[in-house]
């Protein structure tokens, strides 16, 4: 396995000659002669005076703060002087309002200092959360190796977390695991590639690609001068009637060729930074979570991907998908960015695994967090809005719906089965229940309709551009007219929804 030094990373990520050190000489107090000798040998071997270096530089001309481990100094271990330097660097970044790049490469606590050094992982973590409380970006780049208390604290607290190729990453290193438990860790488990596949980190990129990732994050998040009110897209009247009625609309949303989240992703690709999972070992292709830009605004977008769900694919929208969505809600809160949720699902997973992993509770928690989040929110019913999985991502300051979109407590055939004990009455049931977008608007559930010019599958690019334009204009309206933005306004709005009896 290769090891990238702190100075190698500086050369590959920062603009040339932009490095500014923030470090002061470390102080160790009364330590043993053996430890003092070990520190002297470490300085000579590594060329640095401690296991981390801190400072700032520019990336594409933008100031970025950094805290970088140096593994060649006593294995990148964290002692009291190391921790004080890390904490001081994070605090300085917070006070200066700078994005922060932390790149650990460490075996954890410095054994010469024992438990007091181990407890300092908490102190470092509190500094990290002060930085996050200031709504400043925090990027983690894990280098080979990162294990122990570092991986289990500030190394796993990033808004975005990437790793260098072939990095050894884990709670404890494989040798320690085997000697402690008597059971060897299987090959390939403690690698960045494996952790990315399981949604623990967001991806594996080289140091040169890290520069591109930082540039992209800066490009998305940097304030952009707005050009005033964006062009208002054409709106549809809530009394819209269709020749084919509700059932034709439902059939259109079930068409494999109907555009969905993957088309949105393609349209926003220049500014699309996708997360891979929950950060806790769960991921689901049924949901996408990304930082992106709509118009001049950075936003967090969480979207249900119908093309990854049955009958078009095999991934059910289960508890992991909603937990992933909640990571997006948390990211929007921590960065104070508007949140856009895209609803397009044939329904939640119905299985023993879903029940045992808390499907109902996942829906409830997602609903609650969306109602409660302290940023402007927009939801779009893009197509199918079936059951609790759709409802979980519905509540927002403004709800939009595509012309053929719908929202129903159950799949149409399921509703028919409950009342009529067959599926032949599905179309009738959907008409009676008022599931279609125009009926939702008349009921106050939806605030605006997005034209499809008949059927979005016939002109997908035009439709997706129209969806983006509607979201962009709605975000501008919320920014400039905040009367229905925020927790209390959502409470009042949803508490006042009229009850419609069949």
């Amino acid at each position: 396995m290769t090891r990238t030094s702190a100075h190698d990373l500086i050369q590959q990520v920062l603009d040339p000659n932009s490095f500014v050190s923030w470090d002061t000489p470390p102080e160790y107090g009364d330590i043993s002669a053996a430890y003092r000798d070990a520190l002297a040998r470490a300085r000579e071997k590594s060329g640095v005076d401690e296991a981390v270096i801190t400072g700032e530089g520019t990336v594409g001309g933008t100031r970025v703060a950094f805290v970088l481990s140096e593994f060649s100094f006593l294995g990148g271990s964290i002692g009291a002087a190391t921790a004080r330097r890390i904490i001081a660097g994070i605090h300085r970044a917070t006070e200066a309002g700078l994005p922060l790049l932390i790149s650990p490469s460490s075996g954890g606590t410095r054994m010469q200092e024992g438990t007091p050094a181990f407890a300092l992982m908490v102190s470092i973590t509190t500094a990290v959360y002060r930085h996050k409380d200031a709504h400043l970006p925090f990027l983690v780049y894990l280098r080979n190796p990162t294990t122990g208390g570092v991986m289990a604290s500030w190394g796993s607290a990033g808004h975005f977390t990437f790793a260098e190729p072939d990095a050894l990453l884990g709670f404890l290193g494989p040798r320690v695991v085997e000697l402690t438990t008597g059971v060897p860790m299987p090959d390939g488990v403690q690698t960045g590639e494996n952790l990315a596949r399981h949604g623990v980190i967001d991806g594996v990129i080289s140091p040169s690609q890290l520069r591109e990732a930082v540039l992209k994050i800066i490009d998305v998040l940097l304030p952009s001068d707005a050009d005033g009110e964006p062009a208002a897209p054409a709106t549809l009247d809530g009394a819209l009637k269709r020749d084919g009625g509700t059932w034709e609309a439902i059939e259109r949303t079930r068409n494999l060729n109907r555009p969905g989240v993957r088309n949105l992703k393609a349209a926003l690709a220049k500014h699309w930074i996708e997360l891979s999972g929950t950060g806790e070992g769960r991921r689901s292709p049924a949901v996408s979570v990304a930082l992106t830009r709509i118009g001049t605004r950075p936003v967090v977008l969480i979207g249900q991907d119908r093309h990854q769900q049955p009958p078009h694919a095999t991934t059910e929208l289960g508890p992991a998908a909603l937990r992933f969505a909640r990571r997006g809600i948390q990211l929007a809160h921590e960065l104070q960015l508007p949140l856009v949720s895209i609803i397009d699902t044939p329904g939640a997973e119905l299985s023993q695994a879903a029940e045992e992993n808390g499907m109902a509770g996942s829906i409830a928690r997602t609903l609650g967090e969306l109602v409660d989040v302290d940023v402007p929110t927009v939801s779009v019913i893009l197509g199918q809005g079936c059951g609790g999985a759709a409802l979980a991502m519905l509540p927002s300051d403004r709800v939009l719906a595509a012309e053929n979109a719908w929202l129903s407590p159950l799949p149409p055939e399921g509703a028919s089965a409950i009342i009529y004990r067959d599926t032949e009455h599905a179309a009738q049931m959907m008409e009676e229940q008022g599931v279609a977008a125009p009926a939702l608007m008349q009921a106050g559930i939806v605030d605006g309709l997005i034209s499809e010019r008949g059927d979005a599958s016939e002109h997908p690019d035009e439709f997706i551009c129209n969806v983006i334009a509607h979201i962009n204009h709605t975000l501008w309206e919320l920014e400039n007219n905040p009367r229905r933005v925020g927790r209390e306004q959502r409470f009042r709005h949803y508490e006042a929804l009229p009850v419609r009896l069949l």
Side-chain angles (χ1 to χ4, degrees):
M1 292 184 181
T2 60
R3 290 200 177 109
T4 303
S5 73
H7 285 292
D8 287 341
L9 200 64
I10 286 170
Q11 291 174 0
Q12 295 187 66
V13 176
L14 298 184
D15 296 336
N17 303 314
S18 68
F19 166 71
V20 177
S21 175
W22 288 352
D23 295 335
T24 57
E27 297 180 3
Y28 298 98
D30 187 15
I31 59 175
S32 70
Y35 185 19
R36 195 172 297 279
D37 289 344
L39 290 169
R41 290 193 299 273
R43 284 192 293 271
E44 182 178 356
K45 175 185 176 183
S46 65
V48 297
D49 66 351
E50 245 302 337
V52 297
I53 62 174
T54 70
E56 67 169 280
T58 60
V59 181
T62 299
R63 292 174 66 197
V64 175
F66 56 81
V67 175
L68 310 177
S69 292
E70 180 48 70
F71 190 82
S72 62
F73 189 104
L74 296 180
S77 57
I78 308 301
T82 332
R84 285 193 294 269
R85 179 174 286 185
I86 294 169
I87 292 166
I90 296 171
H91 284 169
R92 185 165 174 177
T94 306
E95 291 162 5
L98 299 180
L100 178 61
L101 168 62
I102 282 184
S103 182
S105 178
S106 171
T109 303
R110 189 165 295 172
M111 290 296 100
Q112 292 91 333
E113 299 188 31
T115 297
F118 175 57
L120 287 169
M121 301 301 177
V122 179
S123 305
I124 297 170
T125 300
T126 60
V128 166
Y129 277 85
R130 285 191 185 277
H131 188 80
K132 294 172 84 170
D133 285 347
H135 310 300
L136 295 167
F138 175 42
L139 173 63
V140 174
Y141 185 60
L142 301 168
R143 285 156 43 231
N144 176 52
T146 302
T147 61
V150 171
M151 185 68 175
S153 57
W154 48 282
S156 294
H159 292 127
F160 313 95
T161 303
F162 299 99
E164 70 174 337
D166 300 317
L168 169 65
L169 308 173
F171 177 48
L172 285 178
R175 177 170 55 86
V176 179
V177 170
E178 184 172 0
L179 291 175
T180 301
T181 67
V183 180
M185 184 69 70
D187 289 342
V189 171
Q190 294 180 307
T191 65
E193 288 78 3
N194 187 52
L195 297 186
R197 283 191 294 270
H198 285 82
V200 176
I201 65 175
D202 295 311
V204 174
I205 56 178
S206 69
S208 60
Q209 290 172 319
L210 175 62
R211 175 178 169 83
E212 296 305 313
V214 174
L215 282 168
K216 193 169 187 178
I217 291 170
I218 290 170
D219 184 39
V220 172
L221 290 178
L222 269 182
S224 176
D225 293 331
D227 298 324
E229 180 179 359
T235 57
L236 294 175
D237 190 284
L240 173 72
K241 301 293 183 182
R242 296 187 198 83
D243 294 337
T246 299
W247 191 248
E248 182 185 48
I250 290 171
E251 289 184 321
R252 285 176 174 175
T253 65
R254 290 174 165 178
N255 183 348
L256 174 62
N257 295 322
R258 180 179 177 82
V261 163
R262 64 183 183 181
N263 301 83
L264 271 174
K265 177 179 176 179
L268 299 170
K270 181 181 178 183
H271 294 117
W272 188 270
I273 302 166
E274 189 153 8
L275 308 183
S276 78
T278 64
E280 300 170 349
R282 286 180 284 180
R283 64 184 303 274
S284 174
V287 166
S288 289
V289 178
L291 175 70
T292 187
R293 184 179 282 272
I294 292 181
T296 60
R297 287 173 195 79
V299 304
V300 174
L301 186 146
I302 55 178
Q304 296 172 338
D305 190 344
R306 177 178 58 90
H307 290 98
Q308 294 287 351
Q309 301 172 57
H312 307 312
T314 59
T315 303
E316 301 273 6
L317 200 157
L322 291 178
R323 179 64 191 88
F324 189 18
R326 294 199 296 278
R327 182 185 174 195
I329 299 170
Q330 181 68 16
L331 182 65
H333 158 68
E334 290 186 355
L335 294 177
Q336 285 295 284
L337 298 179
L339 178 67
V340 177
S341 63
I342 306 295
I343 297 161
D344 196 7
T345 178
E349 180 179 353
L350 305 174
S351 70
Q352 177 182 344
E355 294 292 348
E356 292 175 350
N357 283 282
M359 187 73 240
S362 290
I363 292 170
R365 282 185 288 276
T366 308
L367 264 174
E369 291 185 23
L370 264 181
V371 169
D372 196 58
V373 69
D374 57 346
V375 298
T377 56
V378 176
S379 294
V380 181
I381 311 175
L382 198 63
Q384 298 180 69
C386 188
L391 192 70
M393 289 174 50
L394 178 73
S396 64
D397 298 318
R398 287 288 187 274
V399 179
L400 308 175
E403 179 181 338
N404 288 306
W406 52 280
L407 180 69
S408 170
L410 286 173
E413 293 79 5
S416 175
I418 288 175
I419 300 298
Y420 295 101
R421 298 182 182 276
D422 62 38
T423 59
E424 282 71 36
H425 292 80
Q428 175 188 331
M429 287 287 298
M430 294 301 96
E431 197 73 52
E432 292 172 349
Q433 290 190 341
V435 306
L440 298 175
M441 187 168 175
Q442 290 176 335
I445 297 168
V446 163
D447 298 293
L449 301 182
I450 302 171
S451 172
E452 297 188 26
R453 281 205 308 113
D455 187 346
S457 64
E458 296 176 358
H459 33 79
D461 293 342
E462 178 185 335
F463 171 66
I464 290 298
C465 286
N466 197 21
V467 170
I468 293 170
H470 273 271
I471 296 171
N472 188 28
H473 192 266
T474 303
L475 289 172
W476 179 88
E477 289 179 325
L478 293 176
E479 186 177 280
N480 289 276
N481 184 16
R483 287 177 299 172
R484 245 192 72 185
V485 174
R487 180 179 190 267
E488 187 56 38
Q489 289 83 351
R490 289 177 212 128
F491 279 22
R492 287 199 297 266
H493 171 68
Y494 285 106
E495 287 169 352
L497 278 182
V499 177
R500 175 183 181 273
L501 298 178
L502 298 179

